[in-house]
Amino acid sequence: MTDAVRLDGPADLTADAYERVAYGGAALVLGDAALERVAESRGLFLKHLATGVICYGVNTGLGALSKTDLTPEEMALLPRQILMGRAAATGAPYPAAVARGMLLVRLAQFLGGAPAVTPALCRVMAERLNDGMAPYVPSQGHGMAGEIIPLTHMAQPLIGEGFVLDGEGHRQSAADWHTARGLAPYDPQPKEGIALINGVAAAPAVAWHALRRLRATRRLAGQVAAMAVDGLAAPLEPFHPAVADLRPDPGLGEAAAEIMALVAGSAIERAGRQAPVSFRVIPQIHGVLSDALDGLETATLREMTSVGDNPAFLADAEDAAGGRLLHAGNFHAAALTHAVEGAALALAQAGLLSERRLHRLLDPRFSGLSPQLAKRPGLDAGLVTLHKAVLGYAARLRSLAVPPSLQHGDSSFGQEDVMTMTLPALDRLAEIDGLVRIILVHEAYAAAVALDQRAQAPGEGVDACRAAVRAVVPPYEGDRSYGPEIEALLDRIGDDSIPR
């Protein structure tokens, strides 16, 4: 257990704090100021509710039933009832760190006071995180109506319903989890049912998890591109610092410098004429990908500390009514969705670029090496089959071009008629990432063969990357079965084990 993380408000949920609790298992401490803020807001909310005001999800039904008023008896039953009928997701569960991240994000958002929950709920959420609870949240079936489906799965274990992940990642009854620890499930109070499934807490946790892998994919893309540059003996002018000076895009200079660092010390005799465009635009395309990932990180962190509740309560101790309710649309995480889809497009471009470079590596007109890098051209087919396989992955990349945010529907008899589709967009991003990684692995395989065949000393960084490939795949000595070697290489460098 690492040092405790203290939250005095939503702003305290920094990237470091999130990592330490969700992934590192650090203990969570709630500051007195935060709990006092929550208690004051809760008291003023109850005062406001007593005026007879209509409050969605407290004294009304939800969705298309929001025009249905509830009796006091129904209001008391509603918080638990809300958490019973919306756990409709299916499929494999999100990793424990992601599920814990959802719980942590929702708790941090509560500490601002606008969700108007009780301090008791906040304490219980912190205690369950400290107890190691990881809700079992299936990863598929998250369509319309904000995040009510995944957040219901996240919240159910707090009240002893649904499931959690046990220490081995298997599904365990939340009731059994409580019983084994001698704990009583939480009894949700009015407004807490809607608060637990409201706003945006699932998508930021999934997006953060994706970012950890996407950063590794971006590093892999740079390493493989540098291998290809030396493998083709491509000129280094496209990576000169002056290129970035001429086009001051934020990530361009960094991407160009990355290639130059990897090829530093190369003794390869470069071609006298410019390389194909797919080699010259590496800094531009990789730079945009870096920028897109930075933008996704910014949007994710911003969403973690935003208030997406509907309604949100603005407490005002000077107001005779205690404050006011805002029924609005902050649950619509358009900015995060835009960042997710921007990252997906930038990543797909990097994957398609890799496919083109792979094809050039096989072409003696550009490489000066044997056709298709064959050992015995004619008798051996060489590595052309690797490119043929990659064309299938590239086709799938193109088929994923339509953004999920444009594919929302109409739910709850028209009451819920627009949706961000953030979680489907994250599913698409994950699929694109997998496709890009396997394309890059095919290119790395071919680039290593080109470097061997060229028989000149590559850059030190490139040579380290080739050595990592050769630790898994022996040198090419003629046609053989490539599939098992590609899979072994994907397992190795897919975990970002090519030297940084």
Side-chain angles (χ1 to χ4, degrees), residues 269-312:
E269 297 176 12
R270 309 266 163 200
R273 298 181 184 273
Q274 63 181 11
V277 172
S278 55
F279 284 77
R280 284 181 276 145
V281 301
I282 291 168
Q284 288 75 16
I285 290 181
H286 286 192
V288 166
L289 176 54
S290 294
D291 295 342
L293 297 184
D294 289 345
L296 178 55
E297 180 173 336
T298 297
T300 300
L301 289 171
R302 184 181 296 128
E303 200 64 59
M304 284 182 178
T305 57
S306 295
V307 176
D309 287 64
N310 178 46

Side-chain angles (χ1 to χ4, degrees), residues 149-371:
I149 294 175
L151 292 184
T152 299
H153 284 277
M154 175 209 76
Q156 279 189 336
L158 298 172
I159 65 170
E161 298 290 341
F163 302 93
V164 298
L165 290 164
D166 66 15
E168 297 180 351
H170 300 139
R171 188 168 70 175
Q172 178 186 11
S173 160
D176 291 346
W177 188 93
H178 280 85
T179 298
R181 290 160 179 78
L183 298 171
Y186 181 71
D187 183 21
Q189 302 303 300
K191 183 68 166 70
E192 293 183 334
I194 185 67
L196 282 165
I197 69 168
N198 220 322
V200 184
V206 178
W208 190 264
H209 194 69
L211 265 168
R212 297 169 115 238
R213 182 174 170 89
L214 292 169
R215 296 287 191 194
T217 303
R218 169 62 188 85
R219 288 191 295 271
L220 178 62
Q223 292 165 336
V224 173
M227 291 177 69
V229 166
D230 265 3
L232 197 79
L236 299 181
E237 285 179 80
F239 316 109
H240 192 281
V243 174
D245 294 338
L246 293 169
R247 176 179 285 280
D249 293 340
L252 194 159
E254 174 189 330
E258 175 188 33
I259 299 297
M260 291 299 286
L262 287 164
V263 302
S266 174
I268 287 176
E269 297 176 12
R270 309 266 163 200
R273 298 181 184 273
Q274 63 181 11
V277 172
S278 55
F279 284 77
R280 284 181 276 145
V281 301
I282 291 168
Q284 288 75 16
I285 290 181
H286 286 192
V288 166
L289 176 54
S290 294
D291 295 342
L293 297 184
D294 289 345
L296 178 55
E297 180 173 336
T298 297
T300 300
L301 289 171
R302 184 181 296 128
E303 200 64 59
M304 284 182 178
T305 57
S306 295
V307 176
D309 287 64
N310 178 46
F313 179 64
L314 301 184
D316 185 353
E318 304 300 321
D319 186 343
R324 60 179 296 205
L325 287 166
L326 283 178
H327 290 82
N330 269 351
F331 53 83
H332 193 80
L336 178 57
T337 308
H338 179 78
V340 169
E341 295 189 333
L345 180 60
L347 184 60
Q349 293 281 11
L352 294 176
L353 190 70
S354 176
E355 177 269 315
R356 297 300 160 82
R357 290 195 308 261
L358 170 57
H359 201 193
R360 300 295 84 82
L361 284 168
L362 302 178
D363 191 333
R365 296 174 301 168
F366 298 105
S367 70
L369 303 173
S370 68

Side-chain angles (χ1 to χ4, degrees), residues 379-464:
L379 178 61
D380 290 323
L383 304 187
V384 66
T385 305
L386 296 186
H387 182 247
K388 293 177 186 295
V390 162
L391 288 175
Y393 299 122
R396 178 57 183 158
L397 266 183
R398 294 185 185 93
S399 75
L400 293 169
V402 180
S405 65
L406 299 180
Q407 301 181 49
H408 56 78
D410 193 342
S411 178
S412 294
F413 307 137
Q415 178 70 13
E416 296 164 353
D417 55 355
V418 177
M419 173 62 185
T420 57
M421 305 296 280
T422 316
L423 287 165
L426 283 161
D427 288 342
R428 169 181 174 249
L429 177 59
E431 184 174 357
I432 287 172
D433 180 60
L435 290 166
V436 170
R437 281 184 170 232
I438 198 165
I439 291 172
L440 287 168
V441 164
H442 281 75
E443 185 187 6
Y445 191 114
V449 173
L451 288 165
D452 290 348
Q453 194 175 120
R454 193 165 296 284
Q456 296 173 339
E460 293 181 6
V462 169
D463 202 32

Side-chain angles (χ1 to χ4, degrees), residues 99-191:
R100 286 173 53 78
M102 295 179 191
L103 201 59
L104 174 61
V105 168
R106 200 67 195 110
L107 170 58
Q109 293 166 343
F110 285 170
L111 299 182
V117 300
T118 65
L121 175 58
C122 296
R123 290 191 188 95
V124 164
M125 293 173 75
E127 289 167 0
R128 295 298 84 84
L129 282 166
N130 289 340
D131 292 334
M133 174 182 277
Y136 185 99
V137 183
S139 59
Q140 299 298 311
H142 306 306
M144 290 292 293
E147 295 189 347
I148 64 168
I149 294 175
L151 292 184
T152 299
H153 284 277
M154 175 209 76
Q156 279 189 336
L158 298 172
I159 65 170
E161 298 290 341
F163 302 93
V164 298
L165 290 164
D166 66 15
E168 297 180 351
H170 300 139
R171 188 168 70 175
Q172 178 186 11
S173 160
D176 291 346
W177 188 93
H178 280 85
T179 298
R181 290 160 179 78
L183 298 171
Y186 181 71
D187 183 21
Q189 302 303 300
K191 183 68 166 70

